[in-house]
Amino acid sequence: MAINPITFTENVIDDFLRYQLTTYPFADPDLYRQLKALLRLDESRDTPLRKGPFISLSRPFKQGASVEQMVADGVFHPQMRKLIPFSHIRAHQEQAIRSIRDGMATLVSTGTGSGKTEAFLYPIISRCLELQDAGAPPGVAAVLVYPMNALAEDQLDRLRDLLAGSGISFGMYVGKTPEDEADVTGETMPGGTTHAAYKARLAQIRDSGSVFVLRPPEERASRQSMRNPGGQPRILLTNVKQLELLLTRGKDVGIFDAAPLEFMVFDEAHTFRGAQGAETACLIRRLRTFCGRKPEEVRHVATSATMAGADDGDEAARDFAHRFFGVGPDSVSLIREAYDELQWNPARRIPAGPSGDPIDVLSRVLAAVDAADDVAEAISGPLVELGGERLPTAN
């Protein structure tokens, strides 16, 4: 059900102000009246406990190259045309993808919802398709490390949707990953299932109201399947603790046996600071050594919405990446958002507010926006044209 933001905001404010009155019920009537007057609960919402409202505009991201152009430039495998569900990528995504393709240690420091995941996932998938064409033997090519299992599980759902029918194997190894294949719940599609067949079956499950997990044949859903010779996932999702265990437990080290490790990705990189950051940096070096890979042979990626603020210099973020990954400072690329120019109407103006008792006006506006269109005017009372909007007037 959709939430009306105006009503929701007023309900939160109302509940909070009443909480203040009931939490601190002064016994002295004069003090209590002063508290109510200070909060202005019965007169207006002009209270010192409320600031704003604050409005943050979602600026449009600058458009980057088309998928077709990225294929023509040799950055994307031709099959990426079918895997990417839109015609163009964003400018900062293009910059990150080209940086990763060029072997730079890439720190993607862009805002929430900017498409950081696609910035590293697309070049990884493209490279896996190249390995597939070359007939490369099985092995882990990309390790994606998340600070929380919830983030890894969200990425797992995305990989199911992207890689169903692609032939690229993937799996998630965390604490909850079943030990044996017999313990895997849900439904696994048979080998050779196409992407269209997977989507059709998924639609059937959702239409029926069922909630069980549907897995494409590319997914390695148990630890046993990942340990089996030749069963190693090409893309492995995990967390720091499990990655540490994978390199220390004898029954698990085979997952990285002869692994053609080419990508290491750390999501929410700002969480890897202090002692945890130092331990993770050592783990990165251990994994590379175990796989027989030099620093320059692995493409390192870190993502964070807060690692490098818009007003901060780039040096601190670059220094973090070069020390964290153990690469030269000149091998680090920092990616920020790129926005389109905002076009404002030069004739814009701020309309005057309605006159009358503000509490009465607010109450009738809230009732009107929550009501159906055919009864809104009856609830709100007489309406006037105000700046192109029809607002309730005070009687």
Side-chain angles (χ1 to χ4, degrees):
M1 183 179 68
I3 296 176
N4 185 298
I6 300 176
T7 305
F8 182 80
T9 301
E10 286 303 317
N11 287 340
V12 170
I13 294 170
D14 184 75
D15 289 344
F16 178 70
L17 295 181
R18 293 187 186 281
Y19 164 78
Q20 296 295 320
L21 289 172
T22 55
T23 304
Y24 306 102
F26 296 140
D28 186 281
D30 290 335
L31 286 177
Y32 192 68
R33 278 194 298 271
Q34 290 179 43
L35 177 60
K36 290 187 67 175
L38 178 65
L39 296 178
R40 299 185 179 92
L41 183 62
D42 298 327
E43 300 175 8
S44 73
R45 286 299 192 269
D46 183 18
T47 169
L49 296 181
R50 177 197 180 195
K51 300 295 183 183
F54 298 102
I55 299 175
S56 177
L57 298 179
S58 296
R59 298 172 59 188
F61 292 108
K62 187 176 181 180
Q63 182 173 278
S66 66
V67 174
E68 194 63 43
Q69 183 62 52
M70 297 291 278
V71 171
D73 292 346
V75 179
F76 279 164
H77 186 279
Q79 195 172 331
M80 295 299 288
R81 297 187 186 101
K82 298 180 180 179
L83 293 178
I84 299 178
F86 33 77
S87 61
H88 288 73
I89 57 178
R90 293 167 176 169
H92 60 268
Q93 291 175 329
E94 179 189 353
Q95 186 182 359
I97 290 167
R98 291 184 183 275
S99 172
I100 295 170
R101 178 79 178 187
D102 292 341
M104 299 287 287
T106 305
L107 175 56
V108 185
S109 184
T110 60
T112 302
S114 60
K116 293 187 292 294
T117 297
E118 289 78 5
F120 66 77
L121 199 55
Y122 287 165
I124 289 175
I125 294 175
S126 180
R127 178 56 183 158
C128 289
L129 290 170
E130 293 174 358
L131 292 174
Q132 192 177 78
D133 289 349
V140 177
V143 176
L144 280 53
V145 181
Y146 294 88
M148 296 184 295
N149 287 347
L151 296 173
E153 291 169 6
D154 180 70
Q155 186 69 276
L156 183 64
D157 284 336
R158 191 175 311 202
L159 288 177
R160 287 171 181 153
D161 186 67
L162 277 172
L163 299 182
S166 69
I168 299 173
S169 59
F170 63 93
M172 181 180 71
Y173 196 123
V174 296
K176 65 184 294 184
T177 302
E179 181 72 22
D180 300 316
E181 195 67 21
D183 298 326
V184 176
T185 59
E187 177 184 336
T188 300
M189 301 287 286
T193 297
T194 64
H195 186 266
Y198 171 81
K199 296 293 286 186
R201 177 60 182 141
L202 186 62
Q204 290 178 351
I205 294 172
R206 291 174 177 172
D207 291 343
S208 68
S210 302
V211 293
F212 64 85
V213 175
L214 180 66
R215 297 182 175 86
E218 287 81 4
E219 182 175 352
R220 306 291 182 260
S222 69
R223 302 182 185 193
Q224 179 187 36
S225 64
M226 297 186 212
R227 293 169 184 154
N228 289 336
Q232 300 95 328
R234 189 66 87 188
I235 301 174
L236 176 66
L237 283 66
T238 188
N239 57 48
V240 172
K241 181 179 178 181
Q242 291 299 324
L243 184 58
E244 177 81 30
L245 292 174
L246 287 174
L247 291 176
T248 54
R249 288 194 299 224
K251 60 183 178 180
D252 284 326
V253 292
I255 293 177
F256 292 111
D257 185 33
L261 184 67
E262 294 192 28
F263 301 89
M264 293 183 69
V265 179
F266 288 80
D267 194 35
E268 304 294 343
H270 57 273
T271 62
F272 299 102
R273 292 186 180 274
Q276 183 184 9
E279 292 172 0
T280 306
C282 292
L283 184 60
I284 291 170
R285 290 152 176 79
R286 285 177 53 202
L287 178 58
R288 285 197 309 242
T289 301
F290 186 89
C291 296
R293 308 290 283 177
K294 299 177 181 179
E296 59 271 18
E297 294 176 321
V298 179
R299 287 169 255 197
H300 306 87
V301 183
T303 71
S304 171
T306 59
M307 180 63 70
D311 298 328
D312 299 333
D314 294 350
E315 291 309 311
R318 293 180 187 276
D319 183 63
F320 165 82
H322 116 75
R323 290 186 295 110
F324 185 64
F325 290 124
V327 298
D330 295 334
S331 301
V332 177
S333 175
L334 176 61
I335 310 299
R336 296 182 186 268
E337 299 104 327
Y339 295 105
D340 274 336
E341 290 290 333
L342 290 175
Q343 301 295 325
W344 298 100
N345 184 353
R348 67 187 184 277
R349 64 183 181 86
I350 300 176
S355 61
D357 178 39
I359 292 294
D360 178 60
V361 172
L362 177 61
S363 298
R364 288 190 289 119
V365 167
L366 294 177
V369 296
D370 273 344
D373 292 340
D374 56 346
V375 297
E377 186 166 347
I379 293 176
S380 61
L383 296 169
V384 296
E385 294 292 334
L386 181 62
E389 301 292 336
R390 302 183 74 219
L391 296 176
T393 61
N395 290 324

